[in-house]
């Protein structure tokens, strides 16, 4: 984990190294200061020697100024290194998330990915800043000060040796009990993010169902949970301060007590006692700081684990080594295909699918909700991989293709389609950056989108709001169809993509498809029989299996399910 994260320091290595170096210089000078103080007291003040006082006084001022300069330099390099570190982690995480397959995304959930990219990275950034500023400072200070203490008086250093193990045990106990609570707290952050995200996305639904109070309660509950975890963890961590204080004051009392006795006997000078007391403070301050770093580490350990989970997650759909970059025809074959969203064989959603679709054919897919229609077509652009069997496009297994080539050739309008904020034109050009004005208009006419786009005052420059909330459902669907067509695919898959379009426009779209893009293989999933009636063949799905394949007339004659759907829709129409 540490190795993986430290790679993210990248180009900020220089800053990350310079900062501790300056901290080291700063610390070294700081440790020398009490020693010089003792000299100033013993040789200058006690001896009444003004020359010595001025000499040591001047040295002290120079040391203090240098120490300050080093401190400032260390601080600025540390800030640069830690923000750079965070930037690199975010970048890597984001890039990796872009590579995620649908399955990877299912696994993490969007809300959790968002928390990891924001809160967790900030945590890690803060503790990284602490580490590079104190990782050198505290141990160096500890060692220098201990060494100076031993140099001045060997006996006094025994006090530290007694206290140190006591503090180590206390720190260990504190951190090991706080870590699990922090872990739970971040999990709850995921939940909070999910609730907020869900609420904001669905705010219109929330309002129309007057569920504001319910949503507010949900939010209150989770933020209360976070509050409790946070209080719980902080309670444990709050022991840290008193433990350190106890140790500090015990040491000071012990030194004052034994020091005074030693001065009386003549084993110690007044100046030495003063410097010893400064060293106690320095040793204990550095221990206190170490313990604070410790606390941060405990807190950020949970975050670091969650970040590495994202960094380590490998997309289970990867480009093959020697990828095929050419895809010439829109022929599709399914051979003994089995598929499920989990590895549990009994819960497979597709069972033993065998199917051949010739290039240029128009194929309708019909079936009840949950009969795995969407699941079936998602295997063609390799949004998911089959569990058993193979899916072939243009005679080759889809796993052999370069993913970009495959997905450019197989345009799919997802059932849950999305428009992004930007102009209509921006959205349309997603699949094809270089599309010309004429091309865009031609394709939009084909998808029956041009007329309503032209009716907007700003036409193709009309701004689409986030999530496409300012166009109607049917308009959005037509825009998505046009966007897919602009990719100039070999295969076009429409997953329930005309459900919100009126039947007349739907028929217009089908006519345009037939006349203007006859060479493209078209798979049309629909609930309405009228949408697939004139297809070359129609597939009837039932519970993850293909129930029948045939033309409209054949199916009407021979297939029970199809006939039932047809009759129910016919009746609905007559009424
Ligand atoms: N991402 C997913 N993770 C787990 N299970 C899923 C996922 N997507 C779909 N399923 C399950 O797979 C089964 C088939 O779903 P699918 O979306 O393919 O049905 P469908 O025929 O397209 O239905 P509809 O007509 O309502 O769109 C359902 O039981 C559904 O619960
Ligand atoms: Mg579906």
């Amino acid at each position: 984990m540490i190795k993986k994260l430290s790679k993210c320091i990248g180009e900020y290595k220089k800053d990350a190294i310079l900062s501790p170096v300056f901290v080291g210089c700063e610390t070294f000078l700081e440790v020398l200061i009490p020693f010089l103080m003792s000299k100033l007291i013993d040789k200058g003040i006690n001896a009444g020697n003004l020359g010595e006082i001025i000499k040591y006084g001047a040295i002290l001022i120079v040391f203090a100024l240098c120490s300050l300069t080093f401190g400032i330099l260390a601080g600025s390099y540390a800030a640069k290194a830690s923000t750079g570190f965070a930037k690199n982690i975010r970048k890597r995480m984001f890039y990796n998330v872009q590579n995620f397959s649908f399955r990877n995304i299912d696994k993490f959930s969007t809300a959790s990915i968002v928390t990891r990219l924001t809160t967790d990275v900030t945590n890690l950034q803060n503790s990284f800043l602490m580490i590079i500023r104190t990782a050198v400072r505290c141990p160096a200070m500890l060692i220098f000060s201990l060494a100076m203490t031993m140099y001045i008086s060997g006996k006094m250093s025994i006090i530290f040796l007694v206290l140190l193990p006591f503090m180590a045990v206390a720190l260990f106990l504190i951190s090991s009990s706080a870590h699990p609570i922090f872990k739970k707290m971040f999990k709850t952050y995921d939940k909070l993010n999910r609730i907020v995200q869900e609420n904001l996305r669905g705010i219109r639904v929330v309002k129309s169902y007057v569920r504001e109070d319910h949503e507010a309660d949900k939010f209150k509950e989770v933020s209360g949970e976070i509050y409790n975890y946070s209080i719980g963890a902080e309670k444990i961590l709050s022991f840290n301060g008193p433990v350190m204080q106890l140790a500090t004051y015990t040491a000071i009392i012990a030194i004052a007590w034994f020091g005074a006795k030693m001065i009386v006997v003549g084993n110690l000078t007044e100046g030495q006692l003063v410097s010893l007391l400064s060293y106690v403070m320095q040793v204990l301050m550095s221990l206190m700081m170490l313990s604070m770093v410790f606390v941060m580490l405990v807190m950020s350990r949970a975050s670091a684990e969650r970040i590495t989970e994202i960094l380590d997650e490998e997309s289970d759909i990867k480009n093959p080594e020697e990828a095929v970059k050419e895809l010439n025809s829109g022929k599709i074959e399914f051979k003994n295909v089995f598929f499920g969203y989990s590895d549990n064989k009994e819960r497979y959603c597709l069972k033993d699918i065998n199917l051949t679709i010739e290039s240029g054919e128009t194929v309708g897919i019909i079936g009840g909700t949950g009969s795995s229609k969407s699941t079936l077509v998602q295997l063609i652009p390799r949004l998911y991989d089959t569990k058993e069997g193979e899916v072939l496009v243009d005679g080759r297994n889809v796993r052999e293709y370069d993913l970009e080539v495959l997905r450019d050739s197989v345009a799919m309008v997802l059932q849950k389609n999305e428009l992004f904020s930007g102009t209509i034109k921006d959205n349309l050009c997603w699949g094809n950056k270089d599309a010309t004005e004429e091309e865009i208009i031609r394709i939009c006419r084909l998808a029956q989108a041009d007329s309503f786009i032209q009716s907007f005052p700003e036409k193709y420059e009309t701004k689409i709001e986030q999530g496409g909330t300012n166009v109607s459902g049917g308009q959005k669907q037509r825009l998505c169809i046009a966007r897919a067509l602009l990719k100039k695919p070999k295969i076009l898959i429409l997953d329930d993509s005309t459900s919100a379009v009126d039947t007349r426009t739907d028929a217009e779209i089908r006519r345009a498809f037939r006349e203007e893009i006859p060479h493209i293989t078209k798979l049309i999933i629909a609930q309405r029989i009228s949408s697939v009636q004139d297809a070359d063949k129609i597939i009837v799905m039932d519970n993850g299996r293909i129930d029948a394949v045939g033309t409209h007339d054949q199916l009407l004659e021979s297939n029970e399910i199809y006939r039932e759907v047809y009759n129910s829709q016919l009746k609905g129409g007559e009424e």
Side-chain angles (χ1 to χ4, degrees):
M1 183 168 84
I2 291 176
K3 208 169 132 197
K4 186 126 206 164
L5 289 176
S6 56
K7 267 195 206 143
C8 295
I9 299 172
E11 69 270 32
Y12 297 94
K13 214 176 251 152
K14 191 190 90 196
D15 305 275
I17 292 171
L18 274 180
S19 174
V21 168
F22 284 123
V23 171
C25 302
E26 183 197 5
T27 316
F28 181 68
L29 292 177
E30 258 176 59
V31 175
L32 280 182
I33 287 173
F35 183 68
L36 288 169
M37 285 283 283
S38 80
K39 291 275 178 229
L40 186 134
I41 293 173
D42 290 341
K43 288 194 178 169
I45 298 174
N46 277 357
N49 186 338
L50 189 65
E52 289 287 310
I53 293 180
I54 293 175
K55 186 178 108 189
Y56 281 110
I59 299 177
L60 274 172
I61 290 174
V62 173
F63 273 29
L65 283 178
C66 289
S67 168
L68 181 73
T69 317
F70 285 136
I72 292 171
L73 283 173
S76 68
Y77 278 114
K80 211 167 146 195
S82 62
T83 36
F85 175 60
K87 183 192 86 180
N88 283 348
I89 293 185
R90 286 216 174 91
K91 197 165 90 185
R92 281 189 189 212
M93 285 170 82
F94 191 76
Y95 281 5
N96 207 31
V97 170
Q98 300 309 305
N99 283 331
F100 276 8
S101 70
F102 279 35
R103 214 179 102 135
N104 297 120
I105 295 171
D106 289 348
K107 183 174 147 189
F108 280 105
S109 90
T110 323
S112 172
I113 296 178
V114 172
T115 331
R116 288 166 204 240
L117 267 164
T118 49
T119 319
D120 285 317
V121 175
T122 309
N123 270 337
L124 203 62
Q125 174 185 347
N126 288 338
S127 58
F128 181 72
L129 181 74
M130 280 286 260
I131 290 170
I132 52 177
R133 294 205 59 182
T134 50
V136 169
R137 185 189 182 85
C138 295
M141 194 115 166
L142 203 66
I143 292 165
F144 286 149
S145 306
L146 275 176
M148 292 305 280
T149 320
M150 280 188 199
Y151 173 72
I152 295 171
S153 163
K155 277 190 196 148
M156 288 294 196
S157 54
I158 295 174
I159 295 174
F160 290 123
L161 297 183
V162 174
L163 282 175
L164 282 178
F166 160 72
M167 290 166 75
V169 171
L171 276 183
F172 173 76
L173 287 179
I174 290 171
S175 72
S176 58
S177 38
H179 178 65
I181 304 186
F182 278 120
K183 250 182 140 161
K184 279 189 215 145
M185 188 172 94
F186 289 121
K187 268 239 164 74
T188 323
Y189 265 122
D190 286 352
K191 216 157 109 189
L192 183 82
N193 264 347
R194 197 194 67 220
I195 288 174
V196 172
Q197 240 178 28
E198 220 169 47
N199 173 275
L200 295 181
R201 278 186 84 94
I203 192 77
R204 285 153 209 265
V205 184
V206 172
K207 294 220 164 283
S208 61
Y209 277 78
V210 206
R211 295 276 283 181
E212 290 97 331
D213 288 343
H214 172 82
E215 288 289 302
D217 285 345
K218 249 183 10 191
F219 181 83
K220 206 168 113 193
E221 194 188 313
V222 185
S223 50
E225 244 176 84
I226 292 183
Y227 170 83
N228 287 336
Y229 281 132
S230 182
I231 293 276
E234 293 296 337
K235 255 188 201 152
I236 296 175
L237 293 182
S238 65
F239 279 102
N240 192 32
V243 167
M244 293 299 142
Q245 302 264 348
L246 181 70
T248 314
Y249 292 114
T250 313
I252 289 178
I253 292 172
I255 286 183
W257 175 267
F258 292 114
K261 289 193 168 176
M262 284 164 83
I263 291 177
V264 174
V265 193
N267 281 347
L268 201 72
T269 65
E270 286 97 334
Q272 284 175 328
L273 181 64
V274 170
S275 62
L276 272 179
L277 284 172
S278 306
Y279 285 128
V280 178
M281 284 310 281
Q282 281 187 347
V283 167
L284 296 165
M285 279 292 279
S286 51
L287 279 176
M288 195 113 90
M289 245 197 262
L290 266 185
S291 71
M292 257 152 64
V293 175
F294 219 69
V295 170
M296 287 225 70
L297 281 182
V298 172
M299 210 163 25
S300 60
R301 194 173 118 197
S303 289
E305 282 166 5
R306 288 159 52 85
I307 289 171
T308 20
E309 263 173 29
I310 299 256
L311 291 175
D312 283 345
E313 182 74 13
E314 282 194 25
S315 173
D316 52 358
I317 294 189
K318 275 194 289 226
N319 251 345
E321 297 257 321
E322 281 168 37
V324 179
K325 303 234 177 197
E326 219 174 320
L327 200 161
N328 295 319
S329 87
K331 183 174 177 181
I332 305 166
E333 286 160 277
F334 280 72
K335 289 187 178 165
N336 308 320
V337 170
F338 288 78
F339 173 80
Y341 289 97
S342 67
D343 287 329
N344 185 346
K345 279 195 177 185
E346 277 163 22
R347 299 189 52 204
Y348 276 0
C349 314
L350 286 177
K351 285 156 258 175
D352 199 19
I353 303 288
N354 284 289
L355 183 67
T356 306
I357 298 168
E358 295 300 334
S359 187
E361 266 186 333
T362 300
V363 177
I365 303 176
I366 279 255
T369 50
S371 57
S372 299
K373 303 180 296 294
S374 300
T375 309
L376 178 81
V377 294
Q378 279 174 8
L379 300 179
I380 305 171
R382 223 186 144 200
L383 298 179
Y384 290 92
D385 270 336
T386 58
K387 295 283 181 208
E388 284 170 43
E390 50 184 3
V391 177
L392 294 91
V393 171
D394 190 20
R396 279 173 182 275
N397 193 322
V398 285
R399 292 178 200 238
E400 293 173 29
Y401 286 107
D402 179 76
L403 273 177
E404 207 175 318
V405 171
L406 178 70
R407 290 185 184 163
D408 273 344
S409 311
V410 183
M412 180 154 171
V413 180
L414 294 172
Q415 192 167 14
K416 285 185 217 129
N417 48 38
E418 277 291 343
L419 291 175
F420 288 78
S421 38
T423 63
I424 288 188
K425 198 170 153 200
D426 293 340
N427 269 285
L428 291 173
C429 291
W430 256 56
N432 181 357
K433 291 188 291 297
D434 315 315
T436 60
E437 194 95 6
E438 293 86 66
E439 216 173 342
I440 294 177
I441 294 181
R442 185 178 68 83
I443 295 287
C444 283
R445 285 214 177 108
L446 215 160
Q448 309 303 314
D450 184 62
S451 53
F452 77 81
I453 297 174
Q454 298 290 1
S455 74
F456 293 149
E458 286 169 87
K459 303 195 180 349
Y460 283 83
E461 298 301 328
T462 307
K463 286 254 182 312
I464 298 278
E465 310 263 316
Q466 188 187 11
T469 43
N470 60 337
V471 286
S472 78
Q475 288 170 342
K476 191 168 155 190
Q477 286 187 332
R478 281 176 275 169
L479 285 174
C480 290
I481 295 176
R483 178 173 66 185
L485 276 173
L486 267 169
K487 287 205 323 192
K488 297 190 196 142
K490 301 274 186 306
I491 298 170
L492 175 70
I493 302 173
L494 303 184
D495 188 352
D496 222 358
S497 308
T498 53
S499 57
V501 176
D502 61 88
T503 29
R504 200 177 58 85
T505 314
D506 189 16
E508 278 299 308
I509 295 175
R510 274 179 287 123
R511 184 199 52 78
F513 279 3
R514 208 168 36 238
E515 289 170 7
E516 295 180 45
I517 46 168
H519 52 284
I520 296 181
T521 311
K522 291 167 284 287
L523 267 68
I524 300 171
I525 298 181
Q527 304 288 355
R528 286 197 295 249
I529 294 272
S530 62
S531 303
V532 294
Q533 199 165 9
D534 43 9
D536 296 317
K537 61 181 168 217
I538 300 165
I539 299 167
V540 181
M541 294 288 299
D542 182 36
N543 204 3
R545 290 179 192 278
I546 294 181
D547 195 65
V549 181
T551 60
H552 174 70
D553 294 331
Q554 287 168 345
L555 289 173
L556 263 191
E557 195 140 310
S558 63
N559 188 268
E560 187 77 27
I561 299 176
Y562 192 81
R563 202 160 40 223
E564 236 169 62
V565 178
Y566 179 75
N567 285 335
S568 69
Q569 290 184 1
L570 201 66
K571 268 201 208 111
E574 277 166 0
E575 276 166 17

